[in-house]
Amino acid sequence: MERKNAWKSYNEEERTSLFGLGERYREFLNNGKTERECVKQGVEMAKARGYRDLADLIAAKEAVKPGDKLYSVCMDKAIMLFVMGEEPLEKGLNIVGAHIDSPRMDLKQNPLYEDSDLAYLDTHYYGGIKKYQWVTLPLALHGVVAKKDGSLVQIVIGEDENDPVVGVSDLLIHLSGDQMQKKAAEVISGEDLDLIVGGAPLEGEDKDAVKAGVLKLLRDKYGIEEEDFLSAEIEVVPAGRARDFGLDRSMILGYGHDDRVCAFAAMEALFSLKETPKYTCCCLFADKEEIGSVGATGMRAHYFENAVAELMGLTGGYDGLVLRRALANSRMLSCDVSAGFDPSYAGAFEKKNAAFLGRGVCFNKFTGSRGKSGSNDANAEFIGQLRRIMDDANVAFQTAELGKVDVGGGGTIAYICALYGMNVIDSGVAVLSMHAPWEIINKADLYEAVKAYAAFMKKAG
Ligand code: MN
Ligand code: MN
């Protein structure tokens, strides 16, 4: 049952559109290094294609009809896009879900200090990272500062080639005898991840003059005072652009493939729909997946359910029972990256059930760890339907587990949406070096993911 490498099947025309897709995706990654930046791009892309804000229609009590295109944003960190189908919502939606948060470091609320003539910003990491990977890299600051007067200051420092970058230092090898004996989990501790942001004392200052210099810069350039960090969300991410990877340009090296590659593929698929779909189609991009889908913008919150309820209100009237039916009758691809088989670490994988780079979009019947603990386990009947849809649309797909049984595990948003009783399966793109500052995907898998998600939205149900 070995799956073929998708590249083998492409003609010249397909290769051209595959490389074009890769370029658009790199641009999306470059402009989307935080969930907020991804939402912003999602709104811009949607508006440019005639999508309207659901909130405006609610305010105007405007009726929604088949073919209408809408978007809805939750706290600027999660977003949903809808194309209304011919069938009533009660028959269920075809949902392609993903998450747009990625592992990183966040600034603490009281981050700025000076030590030994260096100014630092203290961080608290977000999501599962190997902390030793985040030292000696050029890092950038992205985020917002909410001022007391209600204004929001947008920050992006370290991406323009003329910008300075910041970063975390590591101990020189010459003095690392003790450090090199430590376990990898302990080589760099969470509390060691402090960013160096300044090294020149401000003229005329005696105490903490370097810190004073940094504060002056922030005041002059952004109008920010030290107290404003209390109400800031500033994410520390790898500085620089996504690049073609491999001499043959077959892959992309980028920050945040997990899970922006699936979000991007889902939007490409939705935007490719030419006719009004039979069932309402939805792209659902959640925040906070990397820390358990918690909080108001995580998948466990109710914004998706609420948005569907609002749509129902604008398409003939809200009914609680009908809403439950709509959710239970829905079909969903929970799109998240898969662990790509890595020959250098072959021992962690079981080769018959691993995802290979270049062999197409992955379907994971279950995730979880050990005895499938914490998994959504997709129904065989649903997978049977998907196999037909994928084969009919000529999609290269593979099935995979997350590594060897007992080696580890992980979860996605699948099990949360499954609580409504809808059919859900994990599906995504294989990644090498997942959760590292720079992750790797194969362009063919992105290309096949777009095909798969489009076919699913058109044909599932
Ligand atoms: Mn993920
Ligand atoms: Mn992840």
Side-chain angles (χ1 to χ4, degrees):
M1 290 218 298
E2 195 161 298
R3 316 296 295 188
K4 268 215 321 251
N5 190 298
W7 286 91
K8 290 181 180 168
S9 67
Y10 297 146
N11 58 30
E12 222 23 68
E13 195 186 330
E14 287 167 310
R15 292 176 79 94
T16 305
S17 72
L18 177 153
F19 282 108
L21 175 71
E23 272 175 45
R24 290 200 295 285
Y25 173 52
R26 278 198 278 111
E27 209 45 41
F28 178 76
L29 278 185
N30 292 338
N31 295 312
K33 288 196 170 180
T34 67
E35 49 286 315
R36 285 176 188 266
E37 290 173 359
C38 290
V39 166
K40 188 163 163 264
Q41 288 192 86
V43 170
E44 283 166 7
M45 291 158 82
K47 273 183 164 171
R49 289 162 177 83
Y51 284 68
R52 294 193 296 153
D53 191 343
L54 176 59
D56 293 342
L57 278 81
I58 294 168
K61 295 196 173 66
E62 195 180 323
V64 167
K65 55 183 191 313
D68 280 356
K69 298 184 283 188
L70 305 158
Y71 69 88
S72 178
V73 168
C74 175
M75 293 182 174
D76 291 338
K77 296 182 200 172
I79 181 170
M80 296 156 283
L81 309 175
F82 296 94
V83 177
M84 302 307 293
E86 301 284 2
E87 293 283 344
L89 286 166
E90 184 175 356
K91 302 282 185 186
L93 296 81
N94 288 347
I95 306 159
V96 179
H99 68 91
I100 47 177
D101 60 317
S102 295
R104 60 178 188 256
M105 299 184 284
D106 291 329
L107 293 195
K108 288 186 180 180
Q109 278 192 288
N110 185 12
L112 186 61
Y113 71 95
E114 174 169 342
D115 192 342
S116 313
D117 297 343
L118 291 170
Y120 285 90
L121 286 169
D122 205 342
T123 70
H124 194 145
Y125 67 96
Y126 172 97
I129 62 169
K130 290 180 171 179
K131 283 159 273 191
Y132 66 78
Q133 292 176 336
W134 291 74
V135 298
T136 70
L137 286 175
L139 298 172
L141 301 171
H142 289 238
V144 295
V145 180
K147 310 249 293 175
K148 276 204 291 187
D149 65 6
S151 61
L152 205 62
V153 182
Q154 306 280 344
I155 305 245
V156 178
I157 306 172
E159 298 297 350
D160 189 283
E161 62 180 86
N162 296 312
D163 276 0
V165 292
V166 293
V168 183
S169 62
D170 193 5
L171 185 61
L172 62 166
I173 184 68
H174 316 70
L175 302 179
S176 292
D178 285 347
Q179 189 199 40
M180 296 298 278
Q181 301 310 311
K182 289 184 184 172
K183 289 198 290 183
E186 294 158 8
V187 169
I188 304 289
S189 74
E191 215 48 81
D192 291 337
L193 293 173
D194 291 8
L195 286 179
I196 299 175
V197 295
L202 184 66
E203 215 173 304
E205 290 282 326
D206 269 346
K207 197 174 169 292
D208 287 350
V210 181
K211 174 180 165 180
V214 169
L215 279 172
K216 181 177 184 318
L217 268 173
L218 292 175
R219 197 177 304 122
D220 292 350
K221 186 146 189 221
Y222 296 99
I224 301 168
E225 303 293 333
E226 188 172 11
E227 287 247 326
D228 290 328
F229 279 118
L230 294 177
S231 49
E233 287 177 358
I234 298 181
E235 305 183 8
V236 187
V237 299
R241 303 171 71 78
R243 308 280 294 265
D244 277 353
F245 189 76
L247 301 179
D248 57 5
R249 297 182 179 271
S250 58
M251 295 169 274
I252 294 174
L253 178 83
Y255 164 67
H257 286 315
D258 180 6
D259 183 30
R260 291 158 190 157
V261 66
C262 293
F264 179 78
M267 280 194 288
E268 282 271 334
L270 188 69
F271 296 153
S272 77
L273 299 181
K274 294 285 174 274
E275 286 151 29
T276 300
K278 183 171 181 199
Y279 300 103
T280 295
C281 294
C282 169
C283 284
L284 162 57
F285 303 146
D287 177 31
K288 299 286 182 285
E289 191 276 343
E290 296 294 357
I291 59 167
S293 297
V294 290
T297 54
M299 195 61 243
R300 290 189 215 221
H302 292 170
Y303 51 90
F304 171 65
E305 180 181 331
N306 291 346
V308 178
E310 295 285 6
L311 285 177
M312 201 163 273
L314 299 176
T315 53
Y318 169 77
D319 180 317
L321 182 60
V322 180
L323 173 65
R324 291 189 200 203
R325 288 183 194 141
L327 294 167
N329 288 333
S330 290
R331 301 138 298 257
M332 178 177 187
L333 297 183
S334 162
C335 300
D336 206 342
V337 292
S338 235
F341 179 81
D342 189 335
S344 299
Y345 303 95
F349 299 86
E350 189 270 284
K351 240 178 156 173
K352 297 192 303 309
N353 291 283
F356 290 80
L357 264 70
R359 294 191 193 172
V361 67
C362 305
F363 288 101
N364 306 61
K365 186 174 188 305
F366 44 81
T367 54
S369 41
R370 300 176 307 279
K372 305 188 180 180
S373 174
S375 168
N376 165 64
D377 195 342
N379 272 325
E381 293 89 335
F382 184 45
I383 302 177
Q385 182 192 138
L386 290 174
R387 283 175 54 204
R388 176 172 51 73
I389 294 170
M390 296 304 136
D391 285 345
D392 287 352
N394 210 9
V395 174
F397 73 91
Q398 50 185 332
T399 56
E401 289 197 22
L402 181 48
K404 268 183 181 162
V405 175
D406 284 340
V407 165
T412 64
I413 60 171
Y415 73 97
I416 303 162
C417 299
L419 293 172
Y420 291 116
M422 66 177 75
N423 267 309
V424 186
I425 186 168
D426 280 294
S427 161
V429 170
V431 171
L432 289 187
S433 311
M434 194 190 294
H435 283 204
W438 299 101
E439 305 172 315
I440 298 159
I441 61 138
N442 191 300
K443 291 177 184 176
D445 300 326
L446 167 61
Y447 185 68
E448 295 300 324
V450 175
K451 280 166 60 185
Y453 301 166
F456 169 81
M457 288 195 259
K458 278 186 257 186
K459 300 288 182 186

